[in-house]
Amino acid sequence: MNRSRTRLLAIPYIIWVAGFTVIPLIFIITKAVTDENGMLTASNLFAIFDPLHRKALMMSLLLAFISTVICIIIAYPVAIILRGSHIRKKNIILFVLILPMWMNFILRILAMQMLISNNGIVNHILETLELPPLKLINTPQAIVIGMVYDYLPYMMLPILNSVLSISEDVIEAAKDLGSDKMHVLLHIILPLSLTGVGSGITMVFVPSMTEFVIANILGGGKIQLLGNIIEQEFTVTMNWNLGSGLSVSLMAFVLITSFVFGRNNEDAAAGISI
Amino acid sequence: MKITGVLGKIYIALVMFFLYAPIAVLIVLSFNASRSRVIWGGFTMKWYTALLDSRAIMTALGTTVALALLSALIASVLGLFGAIGIYSMRRRNYRIMLFATNIPLVNADIVTGIALLLWFVRFLPLGFSSVLLAHVTFNIPYVILCVLPKLRDMDMFQYEAALDLGAGEPYAFVHILIPQILPGVLSGFLMAVTMSMDDFVITYFTKGPGVNTLSTLIYGEIKKGIKPEMYALSTILFFIVLILLILVNLPYDRMFTRTRRVR
């Protein structure tokens, strides 16, 4: 292949990246470091640490952290169980796990609201069983349920990918050398699947950290996450400089997370593609 | 590892129940004669017939589908050539381009949406075209990340053999190279369609008034209450996807062997 000539094929894409990825980032950063008169200021960037915003930041970090941990706790055993089952069944179960992602996400969250709201379906069932009703809706717990529900497949796919791709030979070798089941799990499967867990953490933590729709629907607007505050700066308060400042600070948090946990996007992409 | 047995099955069943209960609710509601969201008022098909008369929903559906197909198509073409170009770059430029490709994937949707909004308001009236540009932007990375592994796995000798046997470069390109990476382009295209159909946040910030996809239409209706026709439509779409997926019979085996080879 004439590499110097095929390289030119990337030109339209390079122009696109420059025009629609790099320039917009420059714009948002410019807005973030200036005030409404165009003067340089750092106050919008540090506004994330204001008492009001700090509360939202802590809440976002906390809920994203809890959701991510719950997703790992739910997803990891699924991968281990599927590894032990037969290959044909594995395809079907995998298919079943991925299918919900094709139903509109806002509708799914609304359905979750119908299930857990005070006069919702779950409470109706509890009532007929003469059990005390749950007060879930408009609490942080409701938002966590929504986030786990929505992002679980994103945790499941990379973990499944990494656990299922561990060669059976490695495990056989460990068993031959005297490992019991627990030892194999902790010293073979777990270390070899950590990249998948890392990808999963980024794929769940980043969106739940920046979420505002789930918080609006299941939190009833009572719980403010960082995403809600940024959204309001753009649609209600119309302070675009502050909104951009908060976004850029948020981006810093996101970048740190991706840097710490790493993210193999090709793995993730291959996992989601059909 | 064998934790098969009853316990494993119960666990998987519980997880599936958690994932499917809300979807089951939506499907049941689409047949509910009562407008109530909790009370069953008897079976009806009226929302399905009313669906066809609902202008707002049908327009939003048209916009969503047009947006998904168009943005995925543009992203596939740009991504295909982009991936080939990036693949032939030297190490440093390759790294830079891969980093730039990852930006929309790693970045939060809300930041991407706002950044595009701030840029678009400078030169473009917000509407279908701005949403289309935004969707192409976040779709291209998926295509590139699906095509690059195919390029790496490709048999370069076939291409060179074709040249030795007298094929011109364009001929070898179309007849040897393209067929080998086409599956990657196809899965990239399908992923792009899915991502575009499912997107809410980026569309929300770049759409401007007047244009609605299904997601933004639903979001706008939350306070007024969702029209039951929407449940009917989502049920139909769900089963269309279900049937399509069964028909193509998910090449998951291939998917896993591919990721293994990438490593």
Side-chain angles (χ1 to χ4, degrees), chain A residues 195-227:
Chain A
T195 46
V197 178
S199 298
I201 289 175
T202 326
M203 290 181 76
V204 173
F205 189 83
V206 171
S208 41
M209 174 79 196
T210 58
E211 178 52 51
F212 68 93
V213 179
I214 297 175
N216 268 351
I217 298 177
L218 296 177
K222 289 198 177 60
I223 293 137
Q224 291 272 349
L225 299 185
L226 215 47

Side-chain angles (χ1 to χ4, degrees), chain A residues 104, chain B residues 57-71 128 135 193 196-199 212-216 237:
Chain A
N104 187 290
Chain B
I57 294 180
M58 292 319 273
T59 318
L61 174 66
T63 310
T64 309
V65 173
L67 201 56
L69 292 180
L70 215 56
S71 70
F128 185 82
H135 279 227
V193 169
S196 170
M197 296 267 288
D198 202 43
D199 176 70
N212 262 326
T213 62
L214 287 171
S215 297
T216 60
L237 289 178

Side-chain angles (χ1 to χ4, degrees), chain A residues 6-7 13 16 19 74 84 95-96 98-99 102 104 111 114 161 189 213 216 231 234 258 265-267 270, chain B residues 1 11 20 29 88 101-102 106 114 119 136-137 140 152 194 200 204 215 219 231 250 252 255-256 259 263:
Chain A
T6 45
R7 236 177 272 163
Y13 175 59
W16 195 282
I74 296 179
F95 165 70
V96 170
I98 291 163
L99 190 62
W102 269 275
N104 187 290
M114 294 167 202
N161 259 343
I189 294 183
V213 179
N216 268 351
E231 189 239 347
F234 277 90
S258 325
N265 277 315
E266 262 169 32
D267 257 15
Chain B
M1 283 309 293
Y11 186 80
Y20 277 86
L29 281 177
S88 16
T101 302
N102 272 320
V106 175
I114 288 169
W119 173 220
V136 173
T137 305
I140 296 180
R152 251 177 258 147
T194 315
F200 166 72
Y204 178 69
S215 297
Y219 190 70
Y231 307 137
L250 294 166
Y252 277 123
M255 181 180 99
F256 283 114
T259 34
R263 285 256 168 75

Side-chain angles (χ1 to χ4, degrees), chain A residues 5-18:
Chain A
R5 209 162 344 134
T6 45
R7 236 177 272 163
L8 300 179
L9 290 172
I11 289 175
Y13 175 59
I14 293 172
I15 294 171
W16 195 282
V17 169

Side-chain angles (χ1 to χ4, degrees), chain B:
Chain B
M1 283 309 293
K2 279 214 163 72
I3 315 177
T4 35
V6 192
L7 226 59
K9 278 182 189 141
I10 293 175
Y11 186 80
I12 301 266
L14 278 177
V15 172
M16 279 184 194
F17 178 76
F18 177 60
L19 288 175
Y20 277 86
I23 290 172
V25 169
L26 290 174
I27 294 173
V28 169
L29 281 177
S30 75
F31 296 109
N32 187 3
S34 153
R35 266 179 185 275
S36 159
R37 305 201 302 188
V38 276
I39 296 156
W40 178 248
F43 182 87
T44 179
M45 290 291 285
K46 70 177 169 193
W47 308 123
Y48 285 85
T49 45
L51 177 65
L52 294 171
D53 301 325
S54 172
R55 277 250 331 268
I57 294 180
M58 292 319 273
T59 318
L61 174 66
T63 310
T64 309
V65 173
L67 201 56
L69 292 180
L70 215 56
S71 70
L73 190 69
I74 299 172
S76 298
V77 174
L78 282 172
L80 168 64
F81 290 118
I84 296 173
I86 293 171
Y87 179 69
S88 16
M89 283 175 187
R90 273 186 253 281
R91 195 167 184 79
R92 196 174 58 98
N93 290 345
Y94 181 91
R95 284 254 177 91
I96 294 173
M97 285 312 292
L98 219 55
F99 176 79
T101 302
N102 272 320
I103 293 175
L105 291 179
V106 175
N107 216 341
D109 277 359
I110 192 168
V111 179
T112 307
I114 288 169
L116 284 168
L117 165 72
L118 292 172
W119 173 220
F120 286 156
V121 290
R122 293 285 169 125
F123 68 99
L124 191 74
L126 296 181
F128 185 82
S129 49
S130 61
V131 182
L132 181 63
L133 289 177
H135 279 227
V136 173
T137 305
F138 73 70
N139 275 342
I140 296 180
Y142 292 104
V143 177
I144 290 193
L145 292 182
C146 284
V147 174
L148 272 182
K150 294 277 171 210
L151 281 166
R152 251 177 258 147
D153 294 350
M154 195 179 56
D155 185 0
M156 256 343 238
F157 295 123
Q158 273 189 30
Y159 185 81
E160 275 154 21
L163 292 184
D164 288 347
L165 293 171
E169 268 207 58
Y171 185 91
F173 189 83
V174 173
H175 288 90
I176 309 291
L177 197 122
I178 298 287
Q180 289 197 54
I181 56 179
L182 210 57
V185 183
L186 194 68
S187 52
F189 176 83
L190 290 175
M191 253 177 88
V193 169
T194 315
M195 292 299 157
S196 170
M197 296 267 288
D198 202 43
D199 176 70
F200 166 72
V201 176
I202 294 174
T203 312
Y204 178 69
F205 282 107
T206 53
K207 79 182 180 65
V211 181
N212 262 326
T213 62
L214 287 171
S215 297
T216 60
L217 183 69
I218 296 167
Y219 190 70
E221 279 182 351
I222 289 176
K223 289 202 178 75
K224 292 179 277 178
I226 304 292
K227 292 196 180 75
E229 290 92 325
M230 200 55 105
Y231 307 137
L233 175 65
S234 57
T235 304
I236 295 173
L237 289 178
F238 181 78
F239 282 106
I240 289 176
V241 172
L242 178 68
I243 290 163
L244 281 180
L245 287 183
I246 291 171
L247 284 182
V248 297
N249 196 24
L250 294 166
Y252 277 123
D253 289 318
R254 232 188 300 151
M255 181 180 99
F256 283 114
T257 45
R258 188 180 71 202
T259 34
R260 217 175 299 156
R261 252 183 284 138
V262 168
R263 285 256 168 75

